[in-house]
Amino acid sequence: MAEIERESMEYDVVIVGAGPAGLSAAIRLKQLDPEMSVVVLEKGSEVGAHILSGAVLDPAGLDALIPDWRQKGAPVTVPVREDKFYMVGPAGQLGIPNWMMPPLMNNHGNYIVSMGNVCRWMAEQAEELGVEIGPGMACSEIVYDGDTVKGVVAGEFGRNADGTPGDGYEPGMELHGKYVFLGEGVRGSLTKEVMEKFSLSDGRDPQKFGLGMKEIWEIDPEKHHEGRVVHTMGWPLNGNAGGGSFIYHLDNNQVYVGFVVHLNYQNPHLYPYMEFRRFKHHPMVAELLKGGNRIAYGARAISEGGWQSMPKAVAPGVAILGCGVGLVNVPRIKGNHNAMLSGKAAAEAAYAALQDGRSSDELSAYDAELRDGPIAQDLRKVRNVKPLWSKYGLLGGLALGGADMWAANIAGVNLFGTMRHGKSDAQATGKASKFKPIEYPKPDGKLSFDRLTNVSFSMTNHEESQPAHLQLKDTSVPISVNLPTYAEPAQRYCPAGVYEVVEEDGADPRFVINFQNCVHCKTCDIKDPSQNIHWTVPQGGDGPNYPNM
Ligand SMILES: Cc1cc2nc3c(=O)[nH]c(=O)nc-3n(C[C@H](O)[C@H](O)[C@H](O)COP(=O)(O)OP(=O)(O)OC[C@H]3O[C@@H](n4cnc5c(N)ncnc54)[C@H](O)[C@@H]3O)c2cc1C
Ligand code: SF4
């Protein structure tokens, strides 16, 4: 294909992704130097459209960034009032008293928020400071100058399905920065490229992930308890996979109901969406939701590797922020505060470098801050929880993980030193022949819904004439390798029903990719056992249109 000519624009800092990490970086840069030129590029149709989090927000990040966020009207208004944790069986549940939980698990002082709305508000704060924000600008390529990251390509539109430029093709622009920040969140496509090119994960444990699915419900006001936070573990996953649920009562009689499945599960017959569906029929949950309305659905991967899996976060000209580095505190299921703190730290490092007349080098002060500052203190203490869960299962992992966190809290030492994460989640997938298929009940259309009906509640949309943004490195692998060996698990792990194996009478099975349904969760890129699926950005503005996720 002929070389594409693009216009370019120069900035001090180019930021990919208007999540909490990218927006915090933008705000901090302009706080430090109002003259600095800063642009934030976001693939969603608007800021917040692709944001999906729990979310119980630890305000530590916001406090550090915008100390007067309350006066400035941040949509952070529902303090946590009740904090409950249950071990769940098929017909009942056992409450674990709060005093048994290590203090760091306490949600006192935290808030139930829509991170989509928090990001919308943060974008307003950034724009008031003079940050340029470009929604609908998917960043599809890194621009290099030799071995230095110089910028990104954003805003390419209008390719035909075969990749050739269609009518009305727009080549997009190159946006060059003295520094480029990648705030793409979990498993970003450009972040992945940069990590591979500069070997940033060498010597670190593999990153681990979970798949989080979430619905927003409007429920009977009688059953609604604003500020209540509920977490569960146990049924229906039991021994098949790690994970658990969250139920957060925000305001306006709305409840966030979410379910996370750790992606290191072995049984390729496991169907995460069906596990979520089954969970909603637990008597405790069914009673809460009965008579209510599901008003939105979505899914997103969550990073779970924590301290051991953090890659080096810098390379010449580029810094990786937030969940690109994997800054989630797994037992607390919290990463937003660290995403904000990482954006702030990267901004401060870039500001100092620019003041010294530097540009396009490694912001090693940022990487050092990640490993020594408040983020490190948050993540180091809980570093063994995930490996203990993986090694000893639910009960053993909970008990030992709890003991390890108590020891870290009281004496500042972890009983188990630093445990390692073994295989990647893709490698953890076992052969289909070694596991029994799992039977899942049918949806009732009241509490539980089939996958495609639910996907319509993500308001996802992709222009059909463009090339599929889900690329197969080898188109034969799904049928020749994954189907016989793993019963092609893409059919099940995708929470949006994008992948199908179609077996029509007498014909060979075909692998079909309904990319229009994709909700950008990134699970296929993570879990495909052959690592054959490469998630890339579709054209800007496509994808889910989440309301207050
Ligand atoms: C189900 C679930 C529940 C969670 N619960 C909580 C919780 O209760 N509390 C908590 O603190 N944390 C929680 N987390 C974790 C938290 O959401 C993450 O830590 C946080 O979102 C990370 O922020 P980020 O800015 O790094 O990335 P993100 O929030 O993912 O933002 C990345 C942004 O970049 C955009 N983008 C990505 N690639 C490109 C590209 N190439 N071009 C342009 N734009 C791009 C995306 O569209 C998105 O808007 C949860 C996560 C999940 C999935
Ligand atoms: S195609 Fe991949 S990224 Fe899209 S929804 Fe399915 S698993 Fe998630």
Side-chain angles (χ1 to χ4, degrees), residues 89-319:
Q93 65 279 342
L94 176 70
I96 309 284
N98 284 346
W99 58 262
M100 285 180 74
M101 309 288 270
L104 61 87
M105 298 292 285
N106 191 331
N107 274 313
H108 183 76
N110 297 331
Y111 293 82
I112 300 175
V113 299
S114 150
M115 276 314 290
N117 287 346
V118 171
C119 287
R120 290 179 180 105
W121 175 82
M122 288 176 77
E124 283 166 20
Q125 307 306 304
E127 278 179 327
E128 272 173 29
L129 292 167
V131 173
E132 283 178 42
I133 300 192
M137 293 290 275
C139 301
S140 47
E141 285 175 46
I142 296 273
V143 180
Y144 296 98
D145 179 6
D147 274 339
T148 298
V149 172
K150 181 175 150 190
V152 292
V153 172
E156 192 186 40
F157 284 90
R159 281 193 189 271
N160 294 320
D162 63 1
T164 54
D167 296 342
Y169 171 72
E170 292 285 342
M173 302 189 73
E174 286 193 8
L175 296 111
H176 299 164
K178 292 175 182 153
Y179 292 102
V180 174
F181 288 176
L182 299 178
E184 296 178 292
V186 170
R187 197 69 162 198
S189 42
L190 301 182
T191 307
K192 189 171 136 187
E193 174 183 324
V194 163
M195 292 213 296
E196 278 166 17
K197 178 172 171 70
F198 296 101
S199 306
L200 299 181
S201 292
D202 280 9
R204 322 287 158 112
D205 284 5
Q207 184 56 266
K208 309 293 283 182
F209 301 90
L211 164 61
M213 292 151 286
K214 174 175 165 184
E215 292 174 351
I216 308 180
W217 281 73
E218 241 160 34
I219 62 162
D220 177 354
E222 297 272 301
K223 300 180 196 166
H224 187 261
H225 300 274
E226 187 172 308
R228 177 179 286 180
V229 163
V230 177
H231 291 110
T232 74
M233 285 181 110
W235 189 84
L237 289 172
N238 297 330
N240 278 329
S245 81
F246 58 88
I247 302 174
Y248 301 154
H249 294 239
L250 58 158
D251 47 4
N252 299 322
N253 299 318
Q254 291 194 353
V255 175
Y256 291 146
V257 184
F259 199 78
V260 177
V261 176
H262 300 167
L263 286 175
N264 59 355
Y265 64 83
Q266 290 180 291
N267 182 348
H269 301 294
L270 189 101
Y271 203 145
Y273 176 80
M274 298 293 193
E275 298 289 340
F276 178 30
R277 209 161 83 172
R278 210 146 61 142
F279 169 73
K280 285 186 292 170
H281 286 275
H282 186 275
M284 178 177 80
V285 189
E287 179 50 33
L288 177 75
L289 302 181
K290 205 164 95 192
N293 280 320
R294 172 266 284 110
I295 53 176
Y297 166 76
R300 182 85 170 98
I302 179 168
S303 63
E304 295 185 340
W307 180 251
Q308 297 88 317
S309 303
M310 281 167 63
K312 185 178 170 190
V314 293
V318 65

Side-chain angles (χ1 to χ4, degrees), residues 42 70 138 154 327 385 397 402 500 522-523 534 541:
E42 168 55 48
R70 286 177 184 82
L327 302 179
V385 173
E500 281 179 279
K522 314 284 176 78
T523 300
H534 179 46

